[in-house]
Each structure stands twice: as C-alpha cells, then as structure tokens.
Amino acid sequence: MDNVFIRTLKSKDHNRPPVWYMRQAGRILPSYNELRKQYSFRELMTTPELAAKVTLLPVEDLGVDAAIIFSDILTIPTAMGMDLEWTERGPVFHNPLVDAQNPHKCLSPNSDKLSFVYSAIELVKRQSDVPLLGFCGAPLTTLFYMLQGTSLKHEFPEARKFIYQNKKETELLIDAVTEFSIEYATQQINRGVDAFQLFDTHAGLMPLDIYKEMFIPAVRRIADAVRSKGIPFIFFPKGLGAGLNLVTPDLCDFVSIDWQTSLSQARQLVHPQVGLQGNIDPMLLFAPKEEIISCMEKNYKPFFANNPGWILNLGHGVMPNTPFQNIKYLTDWIKATNWI
Ligand code: CP3
C-alpha cells in the first residue's frame, strides 16, 4: 500500500504531511447529518453496512488520507456486560461501577458482542484501498466512564475518588479492561486495520506519578499486542503535558499531541524516534479561512520542514457544528500546498 499516511508511519520519503481528523466521521459532515435523520447513532454504529459507509464518508467528502472505523470507545464496557444508553446528553451507564460491590465481578467480557465492529472493518477493506485505523479507549479513559457512568461531570470526580479508595479493586479493573482491549485490538487487526490508535482522552486527570505507575503499564501491554502483529501504534494521551517525556519507542510509534502543547515543545519532550501527530486546535476551524491558513503557514509549515515524521491532525476531536466549508478548505490546502 503506497499512501502518504502509510509512508509517514514507516518513515519513508513524502512531500507533504498526511492528514486525517479525530472524530472526522460524525459531527461535521452534511452527509452524516443526513443519515442521522434516518438512523440513531447506535444503529449507524452497530449495523456493519452503515458503519462501513459512514467510515468512508470523510474520505469521499473531505479527501482525508486515512479512515477510522466508525465506532466508539464505549463498545468495550458494553461488551463487558454494562448497560449503556445513548441519550441526547451523551452516553449514560445505568449501573456505574462506583455503586457496585466488587465491581470487577460484575463484568463478563464477551468479544462476540463486538462482531459488528469486525464485520464493518471487513466491509471497509473490501470497498476501499484507503488506510484504515482501528481504535479503542485506553484503560484509564474507559474505566472513568465505567466508574462514573456519564461524562456530564467532566472531571469524573466519583471515578477519581474510587481509584484512591480502592486501589486493589482498581488494579483488577485495569487488568480486566486491558485484557479485553487486547482481544478487541487483535480481532480488529485480524480483520485488516492498517494502524491502531489508543484514545486516552482523560490521561491528564490523574497525577503524573500515578498515571505512570498504574496506567502506562496497561497501555504498554496493549501496544505490545498491537505491534507484535506488525501494525503501527498511535497513542493519544490528552493532557499529559510535561509527562510526554515518558513517551519512548518501546511504548508507541507515534504520539498524538493535544492542542495545549505546541508541537515544538512536544518534539523536545518526546523521544526522537517517536513520530508526532496533531495538534491543531479544533476551535481554529471556526476562524475565517485566511486565519486558518495563516496559522498553517506560520506554525505548521516550518514544523514539517524540520520534522517529516508528522501526521497532520487536530489536538482533539473535531467540534460539533464546525463549518464544513472550513475543514474542506483546509484539507484541500494541505494537499495542494508546497510543503518543502
Ligand atoms: O470519526 C469518528 O467519529 C470516528 C468514531 C468515533 C466516535 N467516538 C463516534 C461517536 C471515535 C474515534 C470516538 C471516540 C470517543 N468516544 C472518545 C475519544 C475521543 C474524544 O473525543 O475524546 C470518547 C471520549 C468517546 C465517548 C463519547 N462518544 C461521548 C462522550 C459521546 C457523546 C458526545 C459526542 O461526542 O457527541 C459520544 C458519542 C459519539 N461517538 C458520536 C459519534 C459520531 C455522536 C453521536 C451522534 O451522532 O449523536
């Protein structure tokens, strides 16, 4: 597969950075919003034909260099037996683990419950040559949702209290989620994903020393399983800040940088053999087109000139209601501009 995304992941020559956007399929595409009038998010995700179709919409409508399978990080808790409802106000687990006695005993992981994801991957691979990313949530982020039950309290207070009050139980839960994530990632790779991204959206909510001691080893286990199958592993530890110095080649191939940390700061912290992805502020896409391009000219073009091991992306998922014309304009500019 000779594509700028795969070439960059393999550190081969290329004359521009590859581009894809976190959360590129839902939220912003007019074609997605049309489909949402007819189907619920759950229906789109769990019907393989529809999930495959939505996965490829950003490739068709925006011309991005990679697709990410249309699913969610909360498929794992669901397939471990938790009862999830997608409401107007986001996902809600009706029995959050903070309320359970011996929560790890409530879980019953069953990979067959994720077969809709595996079938969607097979369909995408049959329909398109575009590189396909598989993904799951990292143990910390996934566990925060399982413990708290909702993302309405943005800082997951009960989940964080639980971790301090129940260290042994937390370790058992991390282990269970990690084991199941390995099974899930392995099955995605068996069905044909070309790279794998681990989303640790809430990494910045734990003190760095605890993150390092309790959660990085779990990330490494998933990374090892993915990389042992010959697939590049991209890690997105949002909010890690100065902790980016923990990111070394034994942990991941690429690290996705949030919008708070500049790419040049990140480049100094992260081990030189690890590539970078990111980190455009999703809010920039609400600015006038000229300002978007001037930010690219000023910050990103010079960065690429000195750092070819870079995948262009946002510093977090694309925001709902982002003007489609702006993201389309940016994508066209990225592909047409002279980067070197
Ligand atoms: O491009 C894509 O959209 C790819 C698929 C994808 C989704 N979720 C679909 C989705 C991916 C990669 C995710 C990851 C995800 N899900 C994360 C990690 C990345 C991040 O944004 O921080 C997290 C924390 C979740 C959990 C989640 N899913 C929440 C809190 C919500 C509700 C609020 C929201 O984001 O809309 C979701 C719903 C969700 N996941 C939607 C989509 C397309 C919106 C559903 C709809 O159409 O109404």
Side-chain angles (χ1 to χ4, degrees):
M1 186 187 289
D2 193 30
N3 158 287
V4 59
F5 178 72
I6 298 294
R7 289 185 78 80
T8 301
L9 283 173
K10 294 191 171 162
S11 321
K12 289 195 189 150
D13 287 352
H14 48 282
N15 52 16
R16 68 165 173 90
V19 53
W20 70 280
Y21 304 104
M22 288 191 260
R23 311 293 295 269
Q24 62 189 11
R27 289 185 164 172
I28 41 148
L29 300 179
S31 53
Y32 175 79
N33 292 332
E34 274 305 306
L35 275 173
R36 276 289 274 115
K37 289 183 189 156
Q38 223 181 320
Y39 304 101
S40 69
F41 169 57
R42 205 176 161 278
E43 281 172 307
L44 288 177
M45 178 169 67
T46 57
T47 312
E49 291 72 21
L50 291 171
K53 184 183 167 78
V54 174
T55 300
L56 291 171
L57 290 177
V59 180
E60 289 153 17
D61 298 357
L62 287 171
V64 288
D65 297 309
I68 180 161
I69 191 69
F70 187 72
S71 188
D72 196 85
I73 63 164
L74 299 181
T75 52
I76 283 207
T78 312
M80 294 180 94
M82 291 188 71
D83 180 14
L84 173 66
E85 188 186 345
W86 292 98
T87 73
E88 288 288 302
R89 298 165 74 209
V92 176
F93 288 106
H94 291 298
N95 302 301
L97 292 185
V98 287
D99 296 338
Q101 294 290 327
N102 298 320
H104 76 279
K105 293 199 179 141
C106 303
L107 301 173
S108 48
N110 178 356
S111 178
D112 294 345
K113 288 190 179 166
L114 295 167
S115 58
F116 60 88
V117 181
Y118 311 142
S119 303
I121 292 170
E122 285 177 341
L123 286 175
V124 173
K125 293 306 292 180
R126 246 181 268 155
Q127 288 168 22
S128 170
D129 294 335
V130 73
L132 179 63
L133 283 138
F135 75 92
C136 69
L140 173 139
T141 293
T142 309
L143 210 49
F144 271 15
Y145 281 95
M146 293 165 74
L147 288 166
Q148 187 77 35
T150 151
S151 55
L152 290 177
K153 291 184 183 172
H154 295 296
E155 297 201 323
F156 297 85
E158 276 72 34
R160 285 156 61 210
K161 271 181 229 159
F162 179 96
I163 291 172
Y164 284 101
Q165 288 168 337
N166 305 275
K167 190 161 178 210
K168 276 271 152 313
E169 183 64 32
T170 302
E171 278 165 355
L172 292 170
L173 288 170
I174 294 172
D175 192 54
V177 170
T178 304
E179 275 307 305
F180 195 53
S181 302
I182 289 172
E183 162 70 15
Y184 186 40
T186 305
Q187 291 292 345
Q188 291 187 43
I189 297 165
N190 289 347
R191 307 306 158 107
V193 298
D194 302 286
F196 192 87
Q197 176 155 321
L198 194 73
F199 285 86
D200 215 354
T201 305
H202 302 298
L205 288 181
M206 285 310 282
L208 197 53
D209 53 347
I210 297 183
Y211 188 69
K212 184 177 169 188
E213 179 195 319
M214 295 181 79
F215 294 97
I216 291 263
V219 170
R220 184 170 285 114
R221 278 166 65 191
I222 299 170
D224 287 349
V226 168
R227 296 166 100 192
S228 73
K229 306 271 290 178
I231 295 292
F233 181 77
I234 308 173
F235 178 38
F236 176 47
K238 188 172 183 301
L240 204 58
L244 285 169
N245 69 353
L246 299 173
V247 178
T248 48
D250 62 307
L251 189 63
C252 59
D253 299 286
F254 272 68
V255 60
S256 202
I257 306 301
D258 57 45
W259 49 268
Q260 289 95 333
T261 308
S262 75
L263 286 184
S264 50
Q265 278 171 320
R267 193 59 285 171
Q268 284 175 11
L269 289 163
V270 173
H271 189 287
Q273 281 168 22
V274 177
L276 300 187
Q277 175 176 272
N279 76 338
I280 299 169
D281 185 352
M283 295 301 180
L284 176 70
L285 296 173
F286 290 85
K289 290 190 178 73
E290 311 74 63
E291 268 182 53
I292 299 174
I293 300 309
S294 105
C295 175
M296 298 304 297
E297 295 275 6
K298 187 165 146 250
N299 299 329
Y300 290 93
K301 244 186 170 178
F303 183 79
F304 178 73
N306 297 316
N307 300 279
W310 169 52
I311 299 167
L312 195 154
N313 203 317
L314 304 179
H316 193 188
V318 68
M319 298 297 294
N321 303 320
T322 299
F324 174 74
Q325 289 315 320
N326 283 4
I327 193 157
K328 173 74 178 142
Y329 188 84
L330 173 63
T331 314
D332 290 344
W333 180 89
I334 291 162
K335 292 167 79 178
T337 202
N338 191 0
W339 285 84
I340 42 180

